[in-house]
Amino acid sequence: MRGPMPAPLVVQKFGGSSLATAERIRHVAERISRARGDGADLVVVASALGDTTDDLLRLAGDITQDPDPRELDLLLATGEHQSATLVSMALHALGVKAISLTGAQAGITTDGRYGKARIANVEPRRVRAELDRGNVVIVAGFQGQSGGLGTEGAGNGTSEWVETTTLGRGGSDTTAVALAAALRADRCQIFTDVRGIYTADPRLVGSARQLGTIGYEEMLELAQQGAQVMQVRAVELGWVNGVEIEVLSSFEDAPGTLIREDPLVEQRNKVRGLAHDRNVAKVTLLAVPDRPGVARAVFEPLAEAAINVDMIVQNVGHDGATDLSFTVPRAELRRAETVLNPIVAELGARGLTTDPDVAKVSIVGAGLHNAPGYAARMFGTLADASVNIEMISTSEVRITCVIEEARLEAAREALHGAFELARPDPVDAAATARPA
Ligand code: ASP
Ligand code: MG
């Protein structure tokens, strides 16, 4: 038991670029040591150093075209073992008590799907015990274990053996949020190489402005639509568990962005940010017969081939035929064509056209669904910038256009200006002024 004034419990996650060299690891350790000195109990989640995960994937690819998913997960998990142990050693060197744990040792169990496992449960008894011993607990991100006696879903079909699984690219974010939820942490901080969440990618839009606060739903759309700052699953998990997440820079002492339920949403600019995604290709089936069962004949085989179909547009039919367009991730276009070619023939469609040189650009904001005029303003802005819109889709909090990739830059600049995203929301002043 702790005393009457328990120390705040903070989960901090450091991304790969924050840990890319020994010097950066020491810098991170100093930062952790300062937070410890301020009296916090700390659980630190570490990503693999720099580009380690990419390097390991490349190495496996050099050995075989088709690496076994189980072996690949066991291999990739070592990246985070390296970083967790090195951060722990760097803390020891500063005289800070610390211990590193693998995901399994930290009590993180998963559903057993190699390469894209979901966290099934967090049993943080060991983490608590180490905190009670006065340790900073460093947890290897991006991984958990499945199987073992008494648990379901081991990858090899039995439940007797323990397997290591990874959580998908960027999964250390999810490790951090899951631990924060399980430990009922007071704060969950994601340290990265940018200061926080911006109205648009600051490397691409000069006038992009950092947001003080953003709602879960808006952040989820931004992440899904291509903003790379946080893993989508981590935002979902934060939303479901009500974990307030702070995204902030590991390189400078500057206030970050809070992701949380946003009570001021009504008073804000209805558009909070832009997102874009270049990993898109467009597929059109020309003059497919307009009769029941056609959509199933097209999309069932794509689903069976695990191809992610996104925006779907079916035009009004003429003379019993209709065009059917949709988008897929660019890397999956080849496979989609292979699946679709025989279907085009079977259905008696006129043909199949594909375009890999498209991109998606989205405006995102929680107030969009009941604010008339925003769609029109988006389309008008793109027209004025001579950007042709090829497809449109909307959700409660987002409007997305598929455009020619070459026009993406022009589209982003024009939309950032038209929706006045460079101008601070009056209500943000208070949020930005809060203590870091
Ligand atoms: N190291 C893993 C990756 O690069 C997980 C992470 O960084 O969160 O995807
Ligand atoms: Mg990484």
Side-chain angles (χ1 to χ4, degrees), residues 107-298:
I108 296 170
T109 49
T110 71
D111 65 6
R113 288 183 298 169
Y114 297 117
K116 49 172 187 269
R118 288 187 159 239
I119 292 178
N121 190 32
V122 181
E123 177 40 81
R125 274 189 17 231
R126 174 82 187 268
V127 175
R128 283 223 171 81
E130 299 296 349
L131 288 171
D132 287 344
R133 274 189 208 131
N135 278 314
V136 173
V137 184
I138 322 292
V139 178
F142 176 56
Q143 58 183 276
Q145 74 167 42
S146 67
L149 289 169
T151 19
E152 298 282 311
N156 58 7
T158 76
S159 60
E160 195 178 347
W161 314 119
V162 163
E163 285 295 294
T164 294
T165 44
T166 64
L167 307 178
R169 297 308 304 268
S172 300
D173 291 339
T174 300
T175 302
V177 176
L179 278 168
L183 293 162
R184 293 198 194 79
D186 296 286
R187 284 210 266 170
C188 180
Q189 299 181 311
I190 307 288
F191 286 91
T192 180
D193 52 3
V194 292
R195 278 191 177 186
I197 310 299
Y198 284 72
T199 54
D201 187 330
R203 287 163 301 193
L204 303 171
V205 178
S207 55
R209 180 177 55 82
Q210 189 192 340
L211 298 167
T213 301
I214 187 160
Y216 293 111
E217 194 178 15
E218 294 169 318
M219 187 60 220
L220 202 55
E221 287 283 356
L222 285 175
Q224 260 154 2
Q225 297 306 314
Q228 308 258 308
V229 190
M230 268 194 81
Q231 201 197 31
V232 172
R233 290 267 304 119
V235 183
E236 281 173 355
L237 206 59
W239 193 2
V240 170
N241 291 290
V243 176
E244 259 190 39
I245 303 166
E246 186 178 12
V247 177
L248 67 174
S249 166
S250 60
F251 301 117
E252 29 180 345
D253 271 310
T257 299
L258 276 181
I259 305 170
R260 62 170 179 195
E261 218 59 81
D262 183 0
L264 299 172
V265 67
E266 293 291 334
Q267 296 156 51
R268 293 185 188 282
N269 186 342
K270 300 246 179 299
V271 180
R272 299 304 317 285
L274 304 183
H276 72 273
D277 189 357
R278 293 175 188 274
N279 180 21
V280 190
K282 183 178 149 190
V283 178
T284 303
L285 297 171
L286 297 164
V288 275
D290 197 2
R291 59 173 154 75
V294 165
R296 182 175 62 194
V298 172

Side-chain angles (χ1 to χ4, degrees), residues 13-17 45-54 57 76 79-80 83 141-143 166-175 231:
K13 178 255 171 179
F14 291 90
S17 57
V45 175
S47 287
L49 313 189
D51 297 325
T52 301
T53 307
D54 290 322
L57 280 169
L76 294 183
E80 271 69 10
S83 52
F142 176 56
Q143 58 183 276
T166 64
L167 307 178
R169 297 308 304 268
S172 300
D173 291 339
T174 300
T175 302
Q231 201 197 31

Side-chain angles (χ1 to χ4, degrees), residues 327-341:
T327 59
V328 296
R330 208 171 278 174
E332 292 174 16
L333 179 58
R334 273 286 185 74
R335 283 202 297 127
E337 284 178 298
T338 312
V339 170
L340 289 170
N341 276 323

Side-chain angles (χ1 to χ4, degrees), residues 79-93:
E80 271 69 10
H81 295 176
Q82 294 176 8
S83 52
T85 50
L86 292 167
V87 170
S88 181
M89 290 178 206
L91 285 167
H92 295 167

